[in-house]
Amino acid sequence: MSNAMKVSGLVKALIKSSVETNVFLVNGVRLSGCIEKADASTLILVRDGKKQVIYRHAIATIVPVGQFSKEAFDSATDCAEQDTGESLLSGLVKVGDSINAFMLNGIRLSGVLLCEDDEMLLMSVPEKDQFQSVMKRAIATLSALD
């Protein structure tokens, strides 16, 4: 399984579970709903029976709302057995590290790095029992926590 498949595992798990999801755009706008479908360039978000197409290049983070467990994520992908591959990022942080990501819009995200690919990081936020997918193009700086 490629790293791209690991990160998209979160989206697959959200589609399968129909869990309420917040999608934060790079301009700071929050969209809420359930992800119905996804492809390489778009997501379809449904709220109150209305569908909205969201282009992935506009997405900063994807955050499940409410009850979404690691088991739900693990059923869609097996991230734990994969490594992050070769990148400049892997020289600074590795899977399992606690990290801070400062976004282009000024928001700080903190969590544990689960995996990464060319486009996204997958982080867990243990104290909230949440996962979030973070688009690399929306990150200004990234650092490991000591």
Side-chain angles (χ1 to χ4, degrees), residues 15-84:
I15 292 168
K16 184 177 178 181
S17 67
S18 298
V19 69
E20 181 80 10
T21 302
N22 286 326
V23 178
F24 292 90
L25 304 182
V26 293
N27 64 3
V29 170
R30 179 186 64 145
L31 304 172
S32 296
C34 294
I35 300 173
E36 180 182 78
K37 294 181 182 177
D39 64 20
S41 59
T42 60
L43 300 176
I44 295 179
L45 194 69
V46 180
R47 180 179 179 127
D48 298 328
K50 296 185 181 188
K51 297 181 182 183
Q52 184 172 18
V53 174
I54 305 170
Y55 284 90
R56 287 187 182 230
H57 66 260
I59 298 171
T61 63
I62 300 171
V63 182
V65 177
Q67 295 299 317
F68 187 75
S69 67
K70 181 155 176 25
E71 291 76 26
F73 174 74
D74 289 341
S75 70
T77 183
D78 193 3
C79 189
E81 295 181 8
Q82 305 295 322
D83 61 23
T84 60

Side-chain angles (χ1 to χ4, degrees), residues 80-96:
E81 295 181 8
Q82 305 295 322
D83 61 23
T84 60
E86 295 300 319
S87 72
L88 289 176
L89 179 63
S90 65
L92 299 173
V93 296
K94 62 183 183 307
V95 170

